[in-house]
């Protein structure tokens, strides 16, 4: 199993509402032939210096992740909803035992 983790920091002029709308859009997304489980959230502000938002998605294998990563709607959401509001986006994929 592969876990994809995305952590982003909002630009100073972006709002939590914009971030939530982007998270809602990606959480509602479906990719034909690929099953995955996704969780999203905004930072609770419990610690200074945290990122603004996160999403995690679990995939059966690396191929399923690659199909998701190349999906047209996924890339539209990244380009149109996340990129304009984010000053930084970091990703990592790792294997779950």
């Amino acid at each position: 199993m592969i876990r994809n983790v995305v952590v982003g920091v909002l630009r100073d002029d972006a709002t939590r509402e914009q971030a939530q709308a982007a998270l809602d859009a990606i959480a509602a997304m479906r990719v034909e032939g690929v099953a995955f489980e996704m969780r999203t959230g905004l930072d609770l502000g419990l610690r200074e210096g945290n990122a603004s938002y996160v999403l995690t998605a679990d995939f059966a294998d690396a191929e399923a992740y690659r199909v998701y990563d190349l999906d047209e709607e996924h890339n539209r959401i990244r380009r149109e909803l996340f990129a304009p509001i984010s000053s930084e986006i970091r990703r990592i994929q790792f294997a779950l035992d």
Side-chain angles (χ1 to χ4, degrees), residues 2-6 55-59 65 68 91-93:
I2 301 296
R3 177 162 289 165
N4 177 50
V5 179
V6 179
L55 69 87
T56 64
D58 293 340
F59 300 89
Y65 168 77
Y68 161 83
R91 298 168 187 83
I92 187 170
Q93 299 80 42

Side-chain angles (χ1 to χ4, degrees), residues 7-64:
V7 177
V9 176
L10 291 177
R11 294 168 35 128
D12 290 340
D13 60 346
T15 67
R16 290 176 61 84
E17 291 77 19
Q18 289 173 299
Q20 188 61 62
L23 292 171
D24 291 346
I26 201 127
M29 195 186 92
R30 300 295 173 257
V31 177
E32 187 175 333
V34 178
F36 58 94
E37 184 176 329
M38 183 175 295
R39 301 276 190 262
T40 66
L42 293 172
D43 182 57
L44 296 175
L46 302 177
R47 185 166 184 201
E48 181 84 20
N50 281 358
S52 306
Y53 62 84
V54 65
L55 69 87
T56 64
D58 293 340
F59 300 89
D61 54 31
E63 182 59 28

